[in-house]
Amino acid sequence: MRLLKKLHIFALIACIAIILFLVIDAVSIAFDTNYLKYNRTVNVTSERESSDESYVKNYENYVESHPLHFPLDKEIIVYAKDIDTFVGDFEILYNYADMPSALLTKEEGSFTYRIDIEEAGFYHIKVNYYSYPGKSSAIERSIKINGESPFIAAENIVFDRYYGNKEDIYQDYLGNDIRPSQEEKPMWSEVFIKDSLGYIDSPFYFYFEEGENTFTIESLREPLLIRSFTIESIQELPSYADMKASYDLAGYQTVNRDLQFIQAENALFTTSPTLYPLNDRTSAKTMPSDPNLIKLNTIGGTNWGTAGDKITWQFEVEEAGLYQMSLRVKQRLASGMAVFRNIYIDDQIPFKELENYAFVNSNDWRIQTLGTNEEAFLFYFEPGIHELTMEVSLGVYGSLISDLQDVINNLNKIYREILIFTGPSPDPYRDYELMNRIPDLLSRLEEERDVLNAVRDALIEISGARSEKTGILDTVIVQLEDFLEKPREIQKNLSTYVSNISSLGTLVIMLSSQPLEIDYFVLHQPDAKLPDTTAMFFERTLYDFRAFMATFTTDYSAVGRRDTGEVNETIEVWLSLGQDQANILRKLIDESFAPDSKIQVDLKLVAGNALLPATLAGRGPDVAIGQSNSTPVNYALRNATYDLTNFDDFDVIAQQFMPSAFVPYNYLDGYYALPEQQIFLMMFYRTDIFDELGLTPPNTWKEVLEMIPSLQKHNLEFYLPVPLTDGSTTALPPNPIFSTMFYQNDGQFYLNGNSESGFNDGLGPQVFETWTSFYTDYSFPVEANFANRFRSGQMPIGITYYNTYNTLSVFAPEIRGKWNFIAVPGTEYVDENGDTQIRRETVSTGTGSIILNQSDKKEAAWEFLKWWTSTATQVRFGREMEGILGAAARFPTANIAAMEQLPWTLNEMTKLKEQWEWVRGIPEVPGGYMTGRHLDNAFRLVYNDAANPRETIYDYVQMINQEIEKKRREFGLE
């Protein structure tokens, strides 16, 4: 009885606790109506005295170097067609897009205007432009005043393009929302010229002298249609107090109306294709929400974090008056940070407080009313259609990021100076006397430490606490203090020093990212009852339980498929790329391929190694895409892939690609794949370091050898890739640098009908000796992380595949504008006329699409391959990929016309096409898998054991030939 009584007491206590919890939960939600508590005014400045080379300081010096005079009530309109002088091509378009006349500037050229200024002083410049269709990348221009670029930031001005949903949000056959494609929506726009990086948060001040001035705009990227330029007086934004006083003076009254919701996912337009509707399933209160189905119910998130990115919404007001504005928002990704937005109403920031408006970090959704901690802002609207725009701003982080960039540049410069004396692997027990050899070393380190301390204090003041971001700074500060205390031991920790500089680069990326996710906006009267921010306990529990149960019943492989109408046939397609790629391809299939061809596609995302066992078991797909260069011929040897030359229109389709792209897919007289990607070598170099050292990028391999002493004098390195062996794998491709030099010297990989290796023929042994000498005689690194060392400057030049451009664009923002790429070094020869010419052959890697021989739907499969590798599909796939994942996902398509339509600049595209013309493919032959492996074995024998290069390559050629002969016998080719 006593035990039963205790159980009853415990049960009663548990029930009371549960009831108490539910009551507290309900009360806390019901009374959580302080929608102003997350509002904060953040105004922190760094005490850093930046160097004159600093990006921000350079602009500040420009402003301070002129009289601080701001003429009032001036407006000078210059029509773009009234050009004074020009360089390059242009067109004057009349009555285009409802504009009487406008100047169409191309990707190259400069245009100069003469402007008469009545009163000297600082002015803003406003541009009325049309985002003329191009390659869907940012439009970039450079500005000059009186023949000179006034400051560094004016050398790269970005003009936004505008995007929106191509169609309304629709559902797949299960009821899930499908993300609508983003399409460009060209429109006229009038904007002030401002900083494209966001470090300088207000429009630029430009100083004009009294009298005649010249204004020049130079094309850098993409076409731009310009109506006019306006030079106008600089006006300060009013404060909210001034705006409120004007409301009172005009007699405006607050409205008394129901809540008016603006669903954020229904944006009117954005400035980036990455700003598409998102699905949030973390809260039952998100509008709309479903625990079982995908509903596109928010916008922003990680995609909305780049300075300058805007989202615009449209709404209609029925009654004139004063409204408050609230939004349901989540800012949990930028931990330890506030994120900032410039808020525009009808293209104007109404008052100063909406410039760099802060959204602090919190872990969940919240409703936040625009205002201060004590007062909600009132907005006056006339009846009719209005627009609300929010623009990503770096706010107070802009100057801090600029300071960090300076520190990174200075610390890297110090590192390169240390390398001159220590090399990349210094002796920890040697005193290099760095303090005597490097001018002001300790004072420079102390200055950078002080800057980092100031940035750290500012970050703590902004967020109110330490975070992982201040932790990165703490680590670097501690190391610099250790260097200052024990300068004779600096060489012991150089590797950690480089790693810490890279961490600062990562911190720049973290601070530059300003993510914010929005569910909806509400226009409402003061003191209106707004919706609950979060669901109550039982509602949350039921929602989470239903979402959990849905994981057992949802067919995720079918998610995204829509009804495409009448279907005559269904094929199975496997791809081994990634989930994002699969989602985009599924969408493109449903939108264009299936409806047009009446062929449905059962698309499956599978592991790369699943194709072989499935084919052997007779259960493979009809089509496999994303296959490596070695797969098509290896399968063809075993009669597993279908010869595409059997199709009558193969020769027509093949003209879309470079001949070199087909070389790995050729076996006997057939071709067994269509190329998808083709990635070839380019030479990357740091322009800033080359300028500093007075070097010129090498044009030939002879010039490479001549440049090596100049690099090594400063202990800098040249990168030539050596692919790493992966355990016992035999599918190691031939070294791309040796292959490049081999082809440039008339080499052939295989001789006598592909029956034996050509490495010991002609100049092959000499090329092998020259190639290995880079590592044996000149100490090139065999293994190196090129991106990291290129970023730090330790390796200011290297040859690698051109998609490294994608990595550097995103991975190393601190060296933006400080690097370039050109064609690989060539080999000189004398032509039949006695003139010296340069050969630039190089090699490529890539992927292809195959049709399996076991398929009984080869005609339908061929229709799919033609569609998938077509120009239109490749361009759209590439732009969708870049739209979702940014520049890091630029697609290296093998389709020539599609490559030209991806967002490369004209200069970049010209260099890529010039090198592409020289690309040679590496054949795939029976037993050819040993070619790359034995070439690597020969290299390592020379490198590790100092073996004779020519004798070594002769020996390994015999081994390669033995394997080729064995495989040819196996497949009946002898």
Side-chain angles (χ1 to χ4, degrees):
M1 287 295 292
R2 186 174 296 175
L3 178 61
L4 186 61
K5 186 175 181 180
K6 286 184 178 180
L7 289 176
H8 284 159
I9 292 173
F10 285 136
L12 181 61
I13 292 172
C15 289
I16 293 172
I18 292 172
I19 293 171
L20 187 61
F21 168 76
L22 294 176
V23 169
I24 293 174
D25 180 65
V27 170
S28 64
I29 292 174
F31 287 92
D32 185 15
T33 59
N34 183 3
Y35 306 119
L36 299 174
K37 64 182 179 182
Y38 289 102
N39 290 327
R40 281 190 58 197
T41 300
V42 180
N43 187 19
V44 177
T45 56
S46 169
E47 298 301 322
R48 152 79 155 167
E49 188 59 40
S50 303
S51 66
D52 289 346
E53 293 79 16
S54 160
Y55 184 87
V56 174
K57 185 65 175 177
N58 177 263
Y59 172 69
E60 292 174 348
N61 286 344
Y62 166 76
V63 174
E64 292 168 2
S65 66
H66 295 87
L68 293 178
H69 182 64
F70 301 90
L72 300 176
D73 303 323
K74 301 293 183 182
E75 183 180 81
I76 304 162
I77 298 176
V78 180
Y79 291 101
K81 66 181 179 62
D82 298 332
I83 308 167
D84 184 70
T85 59
F86 65 91
V87 176
D89 192 19
F90 69 92
E91 289 182 55
I92 304 292
L93 302 184
Y94 294 97
N95 299 315
Y96 184 90
D98 300 323
M99 197 62 72
S101 64
L103 171 72
L104 177 59
T105 62
K106 307 298 179 67
E107 282 200 288
E108 286 188 323
S110 64
F111 307 87
T112 299
Y113 301 85
R114 294 192 182 278
I115 305 170
D116 190 43
I117 301 294
E118 292 182 0
E119 186 177 353
F122 284 105
Y123 294 83
H124 285 324
I125 300 178
K126 191 160 55 177
V127 182
N128 188 357
Y129 77 95
Y130 185 86
S131 49
Y132 195 82
K135 298 177 182 177
S136 293
S137 63
I139 304 166
E140 298 179 12
R141 295 294 184 269
S142 175
I143 301 297
K144 293 181 180 179
I145 305 294
N146 295 322
E148 295 183 355
S149 182
F151 41 86
I152 295 172
E155 295 174 1
N156 192 287
I157 305 298
V158 173
F159 295 92
D160 291 322
R161 293 188 179 278
Y162 298 96
Y163 301 86
N165 294 345
K166 185 177 181 180
E167 64 277 307
D168 293 334
I169 296 173
Y170 58 86
Q171 286 74 40
D172 64 13
Y173 78 101
L174 295 174
N176 297 289
D177 285 352
I178 303 299
R179 178 182 62 82
S181 295
Q182 301 298 294
E183 67 175 359
E184 191 174 346
K185 295 183 177 295
M187 63 180 70
W188 287 102
S189 180
E190 196 165 33
V191 299
F192 288 108
I193 294 179
K194 60 192 297 188
D195 181 25
S196 60
L197 296 180
Y199 297 170
I200 302 162
D201 59 9
S202 61
F204 289 139
Y205 292 2
F206 292 97
Y207 190 84
F208 288 93
E209 301 286 351
E210 182 179 346
E212 188 176 82
N213 293 258
T214 61
F215 170 73
T216 302
I217 183 165
E218 182 179 358
S219 300
L220 300 178
R221 182 194 292 261
E222 293 280 47
L224 179 66
L225 186 62
I226 307 173
R227 165 61 173 167
S228 64
F229 308 96
T230 304
I231 291 87
E232 64 177 48
S233 298
I234 296 170
Q235 297 180 353
E236 290 292 325
L237 286 173
S239 67
Y240 176 68
D242 294 336
M243 183 63 69
K244 190 176 179 184
S246 70
Y247 293 161
D248 296 337
L249 188 62
Y252 295 150
Q253 299 296 315
T254 57
V255 296
N256 184 16
R257 295 183 61 85
D258 295 335
L259 303 181
Q260 181 177 343
F261 288 90
I262 306 164
Q263 293 298 332
E265 64 272 16
N266 299 325
L268 179 64
F269 57 82
T270 70
T271 58
S272 171
T274 62
L275 297 175
Y276 46 77
L278 303 175
N279 168 239
D280 175 78
R281 301 174 78 173
T282 63
S283 171
K285 289 297 184 181
T286 304
M287 294 184 186
S289 185
D290 192 301
N292 303 317
L293 300 174
I294 294 173
K295 293 297 175 186
L296 299 177
N297 48 16
T298 69
I299 199 168
T302 54
N303 295 351
W304 194 27
T306 304
D309 278 355
K310 301 176 186 175
I311 304 178
T312 297
W313 298 268
Q314 190 177 78
F315 59 95
E316 184 174 4
V317 172
E318 296 182 358
E319 180 183 344
L322 296 173
Y323 294 78
Q324 289 182 4
M325 185 177 293
S326 301
L327 61 161
R328 187 168 188 262
V329 63
K330 180 164 65 174
Q331 200 285 87
R332 61 174 298 184
L333 298 174
S335 60
M337 289 176 58
V339 302
F340 298 91
R341 294 295 184 269
N342 292 325
I343 302 176
Y344 299 77
I345 303 294
D346 296 328
D347 291 333
Q348 299 288 334
I349 299 178
F351 39 85
K352 193 175 298 184
E353 286 79 357
L354 291 185
E355 192 174 42
N356 300 323
Y357 190 87
F359 293 89
V360 298
N361 179 254
S362 63
N363 289 326
D364 207 348
W365 286 100
R366 65 179 187 257
I367 291 180
Q368 182 170 343
T369 298
L370 298 182
T372 66
N373 270 134
E374 301 172 352
E375 179 184 19
F377 295 146
L378 291 171
F379 300 87
Y380 178 75
F381 293 108
E382 289 284 352
I385 303 296
H386 296 271
E387 290 182 359
L388 165 67
T389 299
M390 296 182 72
E391 176 188 27
V392 179
S393 167
L394 295 181
V396 297
Y397 292 116
S399 61
L400 300 181
I401 294 170
S402 179
D403 290 346
L404 283 175
Q405 294 277 27
D406 293 342
V407 171
I408 292 170
N409 292 337
N410 293 337
L411 292 181
N412 271 326
K413 189 172 183 180
I414 291 172
Y415 173 62
R416 293 196 298 272
E417 293 176 22
I418 293 174
L419 277 182
I420 295 173
F421 305 106
T422 67
S425 302
D427 182 348
Y429 302 106
R430 177 180 169 185
D431 184 359
Y432 289 92
E433 298 185 351
L434 297 176
M435 290 180 293
N436 298 327
R437 292 179 168 182
I438 300 176
D440 305 320
L441 174 61
L442 296 186
S443 62
R444 290 162 66 190
L445 290 174
E446 186 175 5
E447 181 182 355
E448 302 311 319
R449 180 205 61 188
D450 292 344
V451 174
L452 292 178
N453 271 318
V455 173
R456 173 184 175 276
D457 293 342
L459 291 180
I460 293 175
E461 186 175 347
I462 292 169
S463 62
R466 292 185 176 92
S467 65
E468 79 277 13
K469 298 171 182 63
T470 57
I472 293 173
L473 293 171
D474 287 337
T475 302
V476 183
I477 290 168
V478 167
Q479 183 175 51
L480 293 181
E481 288 177 344
D482 186 57
F483 282 0
L484 293 170
E485 291 177 7
K486 295 175 283 187
R488 295 182 182 275
E489 298 183 8
I490 288 177
Q491 71 275 9
K492 293 183 179 180
N493 295 296
L494 277 186
S495 61
T496 307
Y497 177 78
V498 174
S499 176
N500 285 336
I501 296 174
S502 295
S503 296
L504 290 178
T506 303
L507 178 59
V508 167
I509 296 174
M510 294 167 71
L511 294 179
S512 299
S513 178
Q514 301 276 302
L516 185 69
E517 190 170 2
I518 301 178
D519 180 12
Y520 56 75
F521 298 88
V522 187
L523 278 182
H524 57 90
Q525 64 189 35
D527 302 323
K529 176 67 173 80
L530 299 180
D532 291 336
T533 301
T534 57
M536 293 186 183
F537 176 77
F538 282 121
E539 188 178 2
R540 294 197 303 269
T541 303
L542 178 61
Y543 182 88
D544 293 342
F545 177 74
R546 291 177 61 196
F548 172 71
M549 295 304 296
T551 63
F552 296 98
T553 58
T554 302
D555 180 7
Y556 291 99
S557 65
V559 169
R561 204 172 79 196
R562 61 186 288 195
D563 182 6
T564 56
E566 180 185 350
V567 172
N568 297 330
E569 200 158 23
T570 300
I571 61 173
E572 187 171 317
V573 175
W574 287 12
L575 77 161
S576 309
L577 300 175
Q579 187 64 55
D580 289 318
Q581 290 91 331
N583 291 339
I584 292 172
L585 184 54
R586 173 78 266 166
K587 181 180 176 59
L588 298 183
I589 289 169
D590 290 343
E591 288 181 0
S592 60
F593 177 70
D596 295 343
S597 66
K598 308 302 181 187
I599 300 170
Q600 184 53 274
V601 176
D602 184 7
L603 186 65
K604 294 185 177 178
L605 182 62
V606 299
N609 58 5
L611 184 61
L612 179 60
T615 304
L616 291 173
R619 303 181 64 183
D622 299 293
V623 173
I625 64 179
Q627 299 302 307
S628 67
N629 277 352
S630 62
T631 300
V633 167
N634 280 331
Y635 277 48
L637 290 169
R638 296 157 178 85
N639 200 33
T641 46
Y642 187 67
D643 182 2
L644 302 183
T645 60
N646 290 325
F647 297 109
D648 294 338
D649 54 349
F650 172 79
D651 290 338
V652 176
I653 299 302
Q655 293 176 12
Q656 300 177 107
F657 312 96
M658 289 289 187
S660 58
F662 280 102
V663 171
Y665 309 140
N666 174 235
Y667 170 58
L668 298 180
D669 295 324
Y671 290 93
Y672 292 87
L674 283 185
E676 293 173 15
Q677 301 181 35
Q678 188 179 16
I679 315 170
F680 46 87
L681 297 176
M682 296 291 287
M683 182 163 66
F684 291 76
Y685 69 102
R686 286 283 298 270
T687 54
D688 58 335
I689 296 176
F690 269 58
D691 290 343
E692 182 182 318
L693 301 180
L695 298 176
T696 303
N699 194 37
T700 64
W701 290 106
K702 179 182 177 182
E703 292 180 11
V704 169
L705 295 176
E706 292 171 351
M707 188 183 68
I708 290 172
S710 299
L711 286 177
Q712 294 186 341
K713 181 173 67 175
H714 296 87
N715 274 314
L716 302 178
E717 299 171 325
F718 195 121
Y719 176 71
L720 298 178
V722 178
L724 298 177
T725 55
D726 184 13
S728 59
T729 182
T730 57
L732 183 69
N735 183 278
I737 300 300
F738 169 80
S739 303
T740 293
M741 300 175 71
F742 185 57
Y743 271 141
Q744 289 179 7
N745 286 274
D746 287 321
Q748 294 186 56
F749 265 75
Y750 302 103
L751 306 173
N752 301 326
N754 292 338
S755 63
E756 51 185 68
S757 173
F759 287 168
N760 63 348
D761 184 66
L763 297 176
Q766 179 183 327
V767 170
F768 180 78
E769 183 177 25
T770 302
W771 170 55
T772 55
S773 71
F774 284 123
Y775 304 91
T776 56
D777 297 346
Y778 298 100
S779 302
F780 279 29
V782 175
E783 297 180 15
N785 186 321
F786 175 64
N788 270 333
R789 295 194 188 184
F790 189 76
R791 183 181 184 179
S792 70
Q794 179 182 342
M795 193 171 270
I797 186 169
I799 299 174
T800 185
Y801 291 106
Y802 81 78
N803 60 342
T804 301
Y805 175 98
N806 305 358
T807 304
L808 294 174
S809 296
V810 178
F811 175 68
E814 71 273 16
I815 58 172
R816 175 185 170 182
K818 298 179 180 179
W819 58 273
N820 204 343
F821 65 81
I822 56 176
V824 299
T827 299
E828 291 184 338
Y829 73 99
V830 179
D831 64 14
E832 62 274 9
N833 299 321
D835 297 326
T836 300
Q837 305 288 350
I838 297 177
R839 299 178 57 167
R840 296 195 186 278
E841 285 96 337
T842 190
V843 293
S844 63
T845 184
T847 61
S849 300
I850 61 176
I851 297 176
L852 278 298
N853 219 9
Q854 64 189 11
S855 170
D856 57 359
K857 302 174 182 177
K858 294 183 176 65
E859 289 293 337
W862 177 238
E863 290 300 319
F864 175 80
L865 280 196
K866 291 192 295 182
W867 170 84
W868 164 233
T869 57
S870 68
T871 299
T873 304
Q874 289 287 290
V875 168
R876 188 162 173 208
F877 181 82
R879 290 186 178 178
E880 290 268 351
M881 280 296 300
E882 200 159 342
I884 290 176
L885 302 175
R890 184 163 298 171
F891 188 58
T893 178
N895 185 297
I896 301 169
M899 176 81 160
E900 293 175 348
Q901 295 181 49
L902 293 179
W904 299 99
T905 66
L906 184 62
N907 185 40
E908 291 166 348
M909 191 70 246
T910 299
K911 288 184 286 190
L912 289 170
K913 286 181 68 176
E914 287 175 354
Q915 182 64 83
W916 205 357
E917 294 286 349
W918 285 100
V919 171
R920 297 274 301 276
I922 298 177
E924 291 287 338
V925 302
Y929 51 82
M930 276 300 177
T931 298
R933 187 163 190 82
H934 281 318
L935 177 63
D936 187 72
N937 290 339
F939 164 77
R940 295 185 185 276
L941 188 65
V942 172
Y943 179 75
N944 294 322
D945 298 343
N948 182 285
R950 298 188 183 225
E951 292 180 3
T952 302
I953 194 63
Y954 275 112
D955 292 342
Y956 275 98
V957 163
Q958 305 312 311
M959 299 182 197
I960 294 172
N961 289 342
Q962 290 171 9
E963 188 67 23
I964 292 175
E965 182 182 357
K966 183 177 74 173
K967 284 299 177 182
R968 290 178 66 85
R969 285 200 307 268
E970 178 181 335
F971 293 112
L973 298 177
E974 293 297 342

